Amino acid sequence: MKRLTMTALILLALTTGAFAHEGSIGLYTDVSASDCDMSFAPYISADIIIMYFKSDSGPDGITAAEFRVEVPGSPILVISSFEKSPDVSVTMGDISTGIACSFTGCTGSGSDYLHIGTLAVMAMTADPVQIKILASGQLTLPPFEPIVTMCDDPLRTIVAVLGGWFTSPNGTCDVGTEETTW
């Protein structure tokens, strides 16, 4: 009986950590990360905000983020530009194949949300559109998810985060809260 109890405790301890995540990168229609309701009008530019959301176990502030944006079914929606937030000091890469954003120092400490940048997009039709945040195309090591760098000088630990998606016209911006829901 002791052996069975010990085995159960060990398995519980191992699986508890497997479901934790370090936050997520999502898409919103405002910088307060509270609105996702948007219907795209054909040939009219609109802004989609990219935000980092710190989960309960996520780092308190980050120094960098790496991800890419995918629009399944293109050319229904065209990304015309990416404008980095004022907190981002340097970007490398392209938003559609993989971009790395470096912040000025440790940014977002004490905040639940951190503005990474703004996408200017234009729909070619009024058809439903979905936009996804995925791992950078440059990332070649598991877990193949978007990543952020923690404010833990001098280590700058890289941690995987969940990627979100935005669906129009029904106003859905899903940012995972648990890996098991994906």
Side-chain angles (χ1 to χ4, degrees):
M1 188 65 172
K2 284 183 183 179
R3 182 178 287 167
L4 182 61
T5 303
M6 289 299 287
T7 302
L9 287 173
I10 290 171
L11 286 174
L12 180 63
L14 290 174
T15 57
T16 302
F19 298 115
H21 65 88
E22 306 294 340
S24 55
I25 298 176
L27 300 153
Y28 301 90
T29 56
D30 66 354
V31 291
S32 66
S34 62
D35 190 17
C36 302
D37 191 18
M38 178 182 283
S39 294
F40 293 107
Y43 306 107
I44 296 177
S45 184
D47 290 339
I48 301 293
I49 311 298
I50 301 173
M51 303 285 285
Y52 166 72
F53 172 70
K54 177 188 81 142
S55 70
D56 291 339
S57 63
D60 186 24
I62 60 175
T63 60
E66 185 176 331
F67 59 94
R68 71 182 168 97
V69 175
E70 179 182 270
V71 183
S74 286
I76 293 173
L77 186 84
V78 175
I79 299 172
S80 55
S81 68
F82 170 74
E83 183 180 328
K84 64 185 178 78
S85 84
D87 293 326
V88 173
S89 58
V90 177
T91 61
M92 292 180 6
D94 180 78
I95 197 75
S96 62
T97 58
I99 191 165
C101 299
S102 178
F103 295 91
T104 306
C106 181
T107 305
S109 183
S111 300
D112 285 339
Y113 288 94
L114 174 62
H115 181 209
I116 296 175
T118 303
L119 294 174
V121 298
M122 184 180 297
M124 299 297 127
T125 71
D127 293 341
V129 174
Q130 187 175 70
I131 308 168
K132 296 180 180 182
I133 297 285
L134 301 171
S136 168
Q138 313 306 315
L139 188 64
T140 57
L141 301 173
F144 306 108
E145 296 176 17
I147 57 174
V148 297
T149 306
M150 295 173 57
C151 297
D152 60 348
D153 283 333
L155 300 176
R156 304 283 174 132
T157 305
I158 296 173
V159 294
V161 297
L162 301 176
W165 67 86
F166 179 95
T167 304
S168 171
N170 67 355
T172 304
C173 53
D174 296 310
V175 178
T177 56
E178 298 178 24
E179 286 187 37
T180 56
T181 63
W182 291 79

